[in-house]
Amino acid sequence: MAQEIERKFLVVDDSYKQEAYSQSRIVQGYICSARGRTVRVRIRGDKGYLTIKGASNASGMSRYEWEKEISLQEAEELMIPQPAKSTKAYKVKTELEFGNYLVKSGKHTFEIDEFYGDNEGLVVAEVELKYEDESYEKPHFIGQEVTGDVRYYNSSLMKTPFCRWETLYLT
């Protein structure tokens, strides 16, 4: 079973843009987004991906992940919302779009996601690790750690976008 181990952080400034060795635009939707499991379709540049993720462990740092590259055409077809023939029919939402920047720091790569649309203003960085207590070099643009805070999961941002947080979480 493939385990994804990652830590997630808020980003304090946009200096990552000058340090990035790669930049792409990502559009993603969810076939299933329920507690403890998600099935995601993602288009990154000219490639498509289908990803299944399991529930996070207690720290929020580790969970099952399976990802397969699919053709761009397959991904685009899966992104088309399906007519609801019954209450169990799936419908993919495609509102989640973001710029993705890759920045090297020591032996690790940080992925920085700059969200658009209803999540505009939110910028988070993730670093994948081989094991939970692996050390890594934090780039200077890294701020507060939000690993395990479900509000920052992409599947949660689809349901409760960042633009609604002030009225929901800060009042």
Side-chain angles (χ1 to χ4, degrees):
M1 176 168 15
Q3 283 294 115
E4 172 189 54
I5 300 170
E6 70 180 13
R7 295 180 78 160
K8 189 176 279 202
F9 305 87
L10 297 179
V11 173
V12 297
D13 64 45
D14 68 354
S15 62
Y16 62 89
K17 291 180 179 182
Q18 290 76 40
E19 298 177 37
Y21 68 85
S22 176
Q23 177 187 357
S24 58
R25 182 173 177 270
I26 294 176
V27 178
Q28 69 185 31
Y30 290 83
I31 294 171
C32 172
S33 177
R35 186 175 182 96
R37 66 188 175 282
T38 59
V39 179
R40 172 182 84 194
V41 178
R42 177 180 270 191
I43 297 173
R44 178 186 207 136
D46 62 351
K47 295 183 180 194
Y49 300 89
L50 184 62
T51 306
I52 300 170
K53 293 188 178 207
S56 295
N57 67 357
S59 70
M61 208 180 301
S62 179
R63 64 182 168 173
Y64 169 79
E65 179 184 63
W66 175 88
E67 184 168 80
K68 179 163 177 53
E69 186 173 329
I70 59 176
S71 73
L72 179 61
Q73 181 180 347
E74 290 169 320
E76 288 171 338
E77 287 174 12
L78 286 169
M79 286 285 201
I80 298 169
Q82 301 298 309
K85 295 179 182 174
S86 74
T87 56
K88 296 187 180 201
Y90 75 87
K91 230 179 176 174
V92 170
K93 294 182 180 181
T94 57
E95 301 119 38
L96 198 58
E97 295 184 38
F98 50 96
N100 178 266
Y101 299 80
L102 302 179
V103 175
K104 252 334 218 172
S105 182
K107 63 180 183 174
H108 293 91
T109 298
F110 281 74
E111 287 198 40
I112 297 88
D113 294 337
E114 178 182 57
F115 291 90
Y116 307 139
D118 287 345
N119 291 298
E120 182 106 19
L122 179 62
V123 182
V124 297
E126 299 174 348
V127 61
E128 288 203 16
L129 305 170
K130 291 181 181 146
Y131 44 93
E132 286 195 18
D133 59 354
E134 180 179 1
S135 62
Y136 55 92
E137 292 179 37
K138 269 192 199 177
H140 60 89
F141 53 80
I142 294 297
Q144 175 186 348
E145 183 165 8
V146 294
T147 301
D149 186 336
V150 296
R151 294 177 299 172
Y152 294 95
Y153 290 4
N154 287 0
S155 58
S156 293
L157 292 171
M158 294 276 299
K159 298 171 188 171
T160 309
F162 186 63
C163 69
R164 293 183 41 216
W165 285 21
E166 187 172 319
T167 57
L168 292 173
Y169 302 125
L170 303 177
T171 55

